Amino acid sequence: MSERKITIAVDAMGGDNAPSEICKGAYEACNEFDDIEIILTGDTERIKSCLQSHPRIHIEHASEIIDPDEHPANAIRKKKDSSLRVAMEMVRRGDAQGCISAGSTGAIVAGGVLVVGRLEGIDRPALGVPIPSMTGKFSFMLDVGATVRCKPENLLHFALMGNVYSRKIMKVETPDIKLLSNGTEDIKGDETVLAARELIERKDNLNFQGYIEGNDIVYAKADVIVTDGFSGNIALKLGEGIMQGFKSLLSEEVRKSFMAKAGMLFMYPLIKRLWSRFNYEKYGGTPLLGVKGAVLKAHGRSKSPAIVSAISAARKFIEEDGINLISREI
Amino acid sequence: MSERKITIAVDAMGGDNAPSEICKGAYEACNEFDDIEIILTGDTERIKSCLQSHPRIHIEHASEIIDPDEHPANAIRKKKDSSLRVAMEMVRRGDAQGCISAGSTGAIVAGGVLVVGRLEGIDRPALGVPIPSMTGKFSFMLDVGATVRCKPENLLHFALMGNVYSRKIMKVETPDIKLLSNGTEDIKGDETVLAARELIERKDNLNFQGYIEGNDIVYAKADVIVTDGFSGNIALKLGEGIMQGFKSLLSEEVRKSFMAKAGMLFMYPLIKRLWSRFNYEKYGGTPLLGVKGAVLKAHGRSKSPAIVSAISAARKFIEEDGINLISREI
């Protein structure tokens, strides 16, 4: 455990439950970790009204908020005093080593590139997300939406960055790395994927295992799944959609039918155990990799435990010196 | 109901349960539909050993079989006497108006292009698949693997072909057509998807409704979902994988735990009803659109009901004059 203090800027105004759950999460995280300092950015009055005071939590006033439906890059450029931009400026200036927001994904990506800045040698950033599976094991998939179409070099960088994140944050010793494709045979994939495959194969320090197809994501048949932001985004949202759809279908049926209700009494421990495998709060936070700071997006519906989990991931990434490790790989 | 006879060639040797379930399906289909004639292609002896004879079922001998792991185009070119190629040659010569196979998807696509031939004006074919949803409604998604990366024009053709299939086979009066993308906002999509969007929007005869994202597939928020074969394949396999994963997880738990077993007794009618919403046999058969015949791929694990369903879809497509309707749209 390092002795240096870790400072994380937290956008207090982003997400569906801001600022109350964000403030609560920041407070809980400070109680959990002795070595962090948190700076909440946003409307001072609103933050104060719901924040339990803590010696290691400070407030940096920001008068604006970026709405989820604003054009991301325009919003970041124009709203200089928005809670998100103020948090990112702290990272740029070195006043914080990382920042977290549950706000607009697009604005976080835009801010990561335009405010925090890309790491040298990285052409495009990637959003990585720990995805749950039937087996309880998590894979780390990137990109899920930062870089819509990729060049082969981008996919190589994603593989290198994913490898670092999987090793350092998810504690996988030698991560299996696979490229998402339309089949596992060598002849599958389009030109970009084929060219990326060749580039990745040549890297001796990567444990590359070829292609993974859609159905094998379900069984976490790779520690790191590399894909472009278009396919990755579709896969992530489809997976989330099916899980949520099942959940609501089941609760609706249980509400309507006595038989289903009786069945649920028996099945409850099983259902609870199954859902716990898919608890995204376990590795909370979607890191934006390839920028000069530990920038993490928390789920838009985050409650305080998800914020604690995102802060914990940012803290670990900073403590493990993730940014420099990635820089050295590129 | 038209008076003319419909002839369908069926590859008796393709799929996990060939030839027995294929022969059984052909027999059942002939009993169900008076106006069809079926030609089973494959090893005469093996077909005869499991076929219940029927005056409208004939056998066309083929001495070879294409294996699922052969290079699709090479296999189609070299194995001139394979059950799949022989079936497709019948379509090419006009001896059959359509053909069905539960064999290798790649070989069916290759055969569709190389043997049956593309429709004039169609640059690339598409595999379309009726996909189930939480609501019980089906969407028709194309392409799911025939054309890995597409030009905007290909996606326009897929929209036009999907529109015909949805109207004629799935009986949707005015299908809602959407493009699969990484979000619903206008700024989403890469260059190809954006250009395709503009092309599709200009077609007055299409009821185009913009983008659909991954999670909305689950609720069938479009009648026709247009995408390239790369993303479509990943989405299809991921969806299938999650469904199968849940099913096996549930049966395993029920086998292991008394509580879960007791719960299942109560929940059985509910579970059965839910699964029936996802029964792919309902619209069995994945049409290869853009070729000069009703070419359908049946699921590799097809048992006789899925074969009947695929034959029924091919019959309806021929009866509705689907090929000419598509030709006129292009």
Side-chain angles (χ1 to χ4, degrees):
Chain A
M1 200 66 67
S2 94
E3 279 304 300
R4 64 180 176 154
K5 205 183 57 186
I6 289 170
T7 306
I8 299 167
V10 176
D11 170 9
M13 315 306 281
D16 300 349
N17 306 305
S20 61
E21 291 290 327
I22 315 289
C23 292
K24 199 167 160 228
Y27 181 82
E28 287 163 5
C30 279
N31 283 339
E32 194 167 331
F33 306 109
D34 290 341
D35 56 357
I36 60 169
E37 192 101 8
I38 286 181
I39 298 157
L40 289 167
T41 62
D43 185 277
T44 309
E45 288 311 306
R46 289 187 61 195
I47 294 175
K48 275 190 173 161
S49 74
C50 57
L51 178 68
Q52 213 173 332
S53 75
H54 191 288
R56 280 181 281 114
I57 300 185
H58 316 284
I59 300 172
E60 180 82 16
H61 184 73
S63 62
E64 294 173 298
I65 295 174
I66 293 179
D67 293 324
D69 46 355
E70 284 183 84
H71 185 287
N74 289 351
I76 278 289
R77 278 197 197 94
K78 285 183 191 157
K79 290 191 165 171
K80 291 199 166 56
D81 201 35
S82 60
S83 55
L84 177 61
R85 171 130 185 199
V86 167
M88 290 190 149
E89 290 285 357
M90 301 198 78
V91 180
R92 189 184 59 75
R93 287 196 309 266
D95 295 340
Q97 292 106 317
C99 71
I100 283 157
S101 174
S104 145
T105 307
I108 293 166
V109 174
V113 171
L114 299 171
V115 180
V116 178
R118 281 177 302 227
L119 280 172
E120 206 172 322
I122 298 274
D123 187 27
R124 308 298 300 266
L127 272 170
V129 63
I131 48 173
S133 75
M134 294 289 166
T135 65
K137 183 183 147 180
F138 279 67
S139 301
F140 185 65
M141 181 159 81
L142 73 173
D143 175 39
V144 296
T147 303
V148 174
R149 275 295 186 230
C150 292
K151 294 190 202 112
E153 293 72 28
N154 301 142
L155 294 171
L156 168 64
H157 291 161
F158 297 176
L160 292 164
M161 298 194 296
N163 189 49
V164 169
Y165 201 86
S166 176
R167 271 169 45 224
K168 295 299 173 182
I169 310 301
M170 302 178 73
K171 301 295 177 194
V172 180
E173 207 170 322
T174 313
D176 282 350
I177 295 172
K178 292 188 179 174
L179 255 174
L180 186 58
S181 191
N182 57 323
T184 53
E185 307 89 335
D186 285 4
I187 55 161
K188 298 287 179 167
D190 67 347
E191 283 170 27
T192 308
V193 170
L194 280 166
R197 186 186 171 122
E198 280 183 31
L199 288 178
I200 299 172
E201 257 166 359
R202 266 185 249 147
K203 288 277 167 190
D204 291 337
N205 53 340
L206 295 180
N207 177 27
F208 183 61
Q209 298 288 335
Y211 292 147
I212 183 169
E213 51 184 349
N215 39 338
D216 288 339
I217 299 177
V218 181
Y219 295 97
K221 289 193 183 172
D223 297 301
V224 177
I225 300 171
V226 176
T227 182
D228 63 63
F230 190 83
S231 297
N233 186 274
I234 288 167
L236 179 71
K237 284 182 183 161
L238 176 60
E240 280 186 353
I242 295 177
M243 302 302 298
Q244 276 165 23
F246 258 121
K247 223 169 168 171
S248 59
L249 211 56
L250 207 62
S251 0
E252 194 191 318
E253 291 287 341
V254 166
R255 203 173 44 74
K256 280 194 313 204
S257 132
F258 173 74
M259 288 286 273
K261 209 169 284 166
M264 268 307 263
L265 284 178
F266 289 96
M267 305 268 275
Y268 188 70
L270 157 67
I271 302 270
K272 205 178 154 189
R273 189 150 40 87
L274 290 187
W275 283 126
S276 76
R277 294 197 193 174
F278 302 99
N279 182 3
Y280 67 86
E281 287 175 355
K282 193 170 164 189
Y283 284 106
T286 302
L288 180 69
L289 297 175
V291 297
K292 293 179 196 158
V295 176
L296 276 97
K297 148 100 183 127
H299 203 290
R301 287 192 298 276
S302 289
K303 298 225 163 179
S304 67
I307 298 296
V308 173
S309 175
I311 292 173
S312 159
R315 173 183 165 275
K316 218 192 284 181
F317 195 60
I318 295 162
E319 193 179 65
E320 295 278 1
D321 207 17
I323 303 297
N324 281 324
L325 286 175
I326 288 175
S327 274
R328 251 174 278 151
E329 294 280 338
I330 303 300
Chain B
M1 202 63 69
S2 95
E3 280 305 301
R4 65 180 176 153
K5 204 183 55 185
I6 289 168
T7 306
I8 299 166
V10 176
D11 170 8
M13 315 307 281
D16 299 348
N17 305 305
S20 62
E21 291 290 327
I22 316 288
C23 293
K24 198 167 161 229
Y27 182 83
E28 287 163 5
C30 278
N31 282 340
E32 194 168 330
F33 306 110
D34 290 341
D35 55 358
I36 61 169
E37 193 101 6
I38 285 180
I39 298 157
L40 289 167
T41 63
D43 185 275
T44 309
E45 288 311 306
R46 289 187 60 195
I47 293 173
K48 273 189 176 161
S49 74
C50 58
L51 178 68
Q52 214 174 331
S53 76
H54 190 288
R56 280 181 281 114
I57 300 185
H58 318 284
I59 299 173
E60 180 82 16
H61 184 72
S63 62
E64 294 173 297
I65 294 174
I66 294 179
D67 292 324
D69 46 355
E70 285 182 85
H71 185 286
N74 291 351
I76 278 290
R77 279 197 196 94
K78 286 182 191 158
K79 290 193 164 169
K80 292 200 165 56
D81 201 35
S82 59
S83 55
L84 176 62
R85 171 129 184 201
V86 168
M88 289 190 150
E89 291 285 359
M90 301 201 78
V91 179
R92 190 185 58 76
R93 288 196 308 266
D95 294 340
Q97 292 105 320
C99 70
I100 284 158
S101 174
S104 145
T105 307
I108 293 166
V109 174
V113 171
L114 299 170
V115 180
V116 177
R118 280 179 300 227
L119 281 172
E120 205 172 324
I122 298 275
D123 187 27
R124 309 296 300 264
L127 271 171
V129 63
I131 48 172
S133 74
M134 294 289 165
T135 65
K137 182 183 149 181
F138 278 67
S139 300
F140 185 65
M141 182 158 81
L142 74 173
D143 173 37
V144 297
T147 303
V148 174
R149 276 296 185 229
C150 293
K151 295 191 202 109
E153 293 71 28
N154 302 141
L155 293 171
L156 168 63
H157 291 161
F158 297 175
L160 291 165
M161 297 194 296
N163 188 49
V164 169
Y165 202 86
S166 176
R167 271 169 47 224
K168 295 299 172 182
I169 309 302
M170 302 179 73
K171 302 295 180 194
V172 179
E173 207 170 322
T174 314
D176 281 350
I177 294 172
K178 291 188 181 174
L179 255 174
L180 186 59
S181 191
N182 57 322
T184 53
E185 307 89 335
D186 284 5
I187 55 160
K188 297 286 180 170
D190 67 347
E191 282 170 26
T192 308
V193 170
L194 279 166
R197 185 185 172 124
E198 278 183 30
L199 287 178
I200 299 171
E201 259 166 359
R202 266 186 249 146
K203 289 277 168 189
D204 292 337
N205 54 339
L206 294 181
N207 177 27
F208 182 61
Q209 298 287 335
Y211 291 146
I212 183 169
E213 52 185 348
N215 40 337
D216 288 340
I217 299 177
V218 181
Y219 295 97
K221 289 195 182 170
D223 297 301
V224 177
I225 300 171
V226 176
T227 183
D228 62 64
F230 190 83
S231 298
N233 186 274
I234 288 167
L236 178 70
K237 284 183 182 161
L238 177 60
E240 280 186 353
I242 295 178
M243 302 302 298
Q244 276 166 21
F246 259 121
K247 226 170 166 170
S248 59
L249 211 57
L250 206 62
S251 2
E252 195 190 317
E253 292 286 343
V254 166
R255 202 175 44 75
K256 281 195 312 203
S257 132
F258 173 74
M259 287 286 273
K261 209 170 282 164
M264 268 307 263
L265 284 177
F266 289 96
M267 305 267 279
Y268 188 70
L270 157 68
I271 303 270
K272 206 179 153 189
R273 189 150 39 87
L274 289 188
W275 284 127
S276 76
R277 294 196 193 174
F278 300 100
N279 181 3
Y280 67 87
E281 287 175 353
K282 193 169 165 188
Y283 284 106
T286 302
L288 179 69
L289 298 175
V291 297
K292 293 179 195 156
V295 176
L296 277 96
K297 148 100 182 125
H299 204 290
R301 287 192 298 276
S302 288
K303 299 225 162 177
S304 67
I307 299 295
V308 173
S309 176
I311 292 174
S312 159
R315 172 183 166 275
K316 219 192 282 181
F317 195 60
I318 296 163
E319 192 179 67
E320 296 278 1
D321 207 15
I323 303 296
N324 281 324
L325 285 175
I326 288 176
S327 276
R328 250 173 279 149
E329 294 280 339
I330 304 301

